[in-house]
Amino acid sequence: MGYSDQRFDVNLSILFTELPLLERPAAAAAAGFTAVELWWPWIETPTPSQTELDALKKALDDAGTQLVGLNFYAGRLPGPDRGALSVPGEESDRFRANIEVAADFAASVGCKALNALYGNRVEGAEPQVQDALALENLVLAARAADRIGAILLIETLNKPESPYYPLVSAPSAIEVVDKVNAATGLGNAKFLLDVYHLSMNGEDVGQVIEAYAGRTGHVQIADNPGRGAPGTGSLPLEELLGQLSKAGYDGWVGLEYKAGDRPSAESFDWLPSEARAAR
């Protein structure tokens, strides 16, 4: 059990960022990967032109890469924002404008997982008001995901790096998953288990896997400290992924780490080339 049993994908919003967006799928393919994921690529707009959407679809298709995860619009990411859906006013409106655009694009490329980052607590807004808005927007997002046969992902981030983000433990994200599923009756909201964020929060990742593997729709990994490639820190990532497999998780494992000073293509030496193409 371990790396050879996993289905890996490359997050093209954190790896290969030395290249323009439309060149990244081909670069991932050249490194041996056939599956990729993305944060919402158009930071400045929730509603890019059809021309831009078509160009990204063509880049993915031409490279032979399958998009397996896509974030809804989330504000400036990476940057000060951590999502838009719980932020009253313009950001919530932008998230809503993005829901069907993101779902339609995901459908056009066969992507079956949409990640909705919750958003930061903001001054002047009561937490309960933000949470009520979040549930409204997540219900809309879950229905849009269901329309295209996809799941909706809810992600835990970490408090040291995201001090205003309210979902900074596995149970806090699972609570939101349960609320969304109760409100829609669809059952398509799932937990995004990010090993790095859980570790940064001081959670026992093994215990989280034991408790929530059955509720997990997607996994992301990076080593800690440093958010680098596996082997650059102290996390037993191969062991944790083996535990996930034993617990019945057979979904995607997103490589969401920083390549550091190396070109991204040189950051995969921990993973044998024969284990990179999705099976």
Side-chain angles (χ1 to χ4, degrees):
M1 299 293 264
Y3 293 148
S4 60
D5 294 320
Q6 305 305 324
R7 292 197 297 159
F8 290 107
D9 73 84
V10 177
N11 188 312
L12 297 181
S13 297
I14 193 169
L15 285 160
F16 295 109
T17 53
E18 63 268 28
L19 298 171
L21 173 66
L22 298 182
E23 293 177 23
R24 294 176 205 168
F33 294 94
T34 54
V36 297
E37 62 181 75
L38 279 165
W39 302 339
W40 184 247
W42 298 279
I43 295 163
E44 67 291 340
T45 178
T47 53
S49 69
Q50 192 61 47
T51 306
E52 290 177 284
L53 293 162
D54 290 345
L56 179 55
K57 180 184 188 306
K58 184 176 188 304
L60 291 163
D61 290 346
D62 287 353
T65 49
Q66 174 66 45
L67 187 70
V68 299
L70 176 68
N71 283 18
F72 287 105
Y73 170 80
R76 291 161 294 171
L77 191 74
D81 299 328
R82 296 290 186 271
L85 62 91
S86 69
V87 180
E90 189 181 338
E91 280 300 272
S92 168
D93 292 345
R94 286 161 76 87
F95 178 82
R96 287 193 185 190
N98 175 246
I99 291 173
E100 300 301 335
V101 176
D104 286 345
F105 180 75
S108 78
V109 294
C111 176
K112 298 297 186 186
L114 289 159
N115 183 26
L117 281 173
Y118 201 83
N120 287 328
R121 294 296 192 216
V122 291
E123 279 186 37
E126 292 293 322
Q128 57 266 38
V129 171
Q130 283 198 255
D131 291 339
L133 177 64
L135 185 57
E136 276 180 43
N137 283 336
L138 286 167
V139 164
L140 294 172
R143 288 181 179 143
D146 181 69
R147 172 174 68 79
I148 66 161
I151 58 172
L152 174 73
L153 297 169
I154 311 292
E155 182 173 9
T156 295
L157 300 184
N158 75 77
K159 196 167 182 67
E161 292 175 330
S162 304
Y164 306 111
Y165 190 82
L167 309 184
V168 287
S169 71
S172 65
I174 290 289
E175 185 181 346
V176 173
V177 167
D178 287 343
K179 284 180 179 172
V180 175
N181 285 333
T184 64
L186 296 171
N188 70 329
K190 304 276 187 182
F191 178 43
L192 195 167
L193 192 158
D194 186 305
V195 173
Y196 169 75
H197 289 311
L198 295 171
S199 167
M200 281 286 287
N201 283 326
E203 291 185 80
D204 183 321
V205 181
Q207 282 186 352
V208 172
I209 289 169
E210 197 172 313
Y212 302 125
R215 319 285 302 282
T216 296
H218 191 69
V219 171
Q220 290 172 334
I221 63 169
D223 216 332
N224 188 23
R227 199 174 183 171
T232 59
S234 58
L235 285 178
L237 289 168
E238 190 163 15
E239 186 182 311
L240 290 167
L241 293 179
Q243 187 184 342
L244 264 164
S245 296
K246 284 178 186 158
Y249 179 76
D250 61 357
W252 294 99
V253 176
L255 306 181
E256 197 185 55
Y257 62 75
K258 297 174 182 175
D261 297 332
R262 297 185 285 177
S264 296
E266 293 175 17
S267 73
F268 304 112
D269 48 8
W270 58 276
L271 184 62
S273 53
E274 62 272 14
R276 297 177 190 178
R279 293 177 301 289

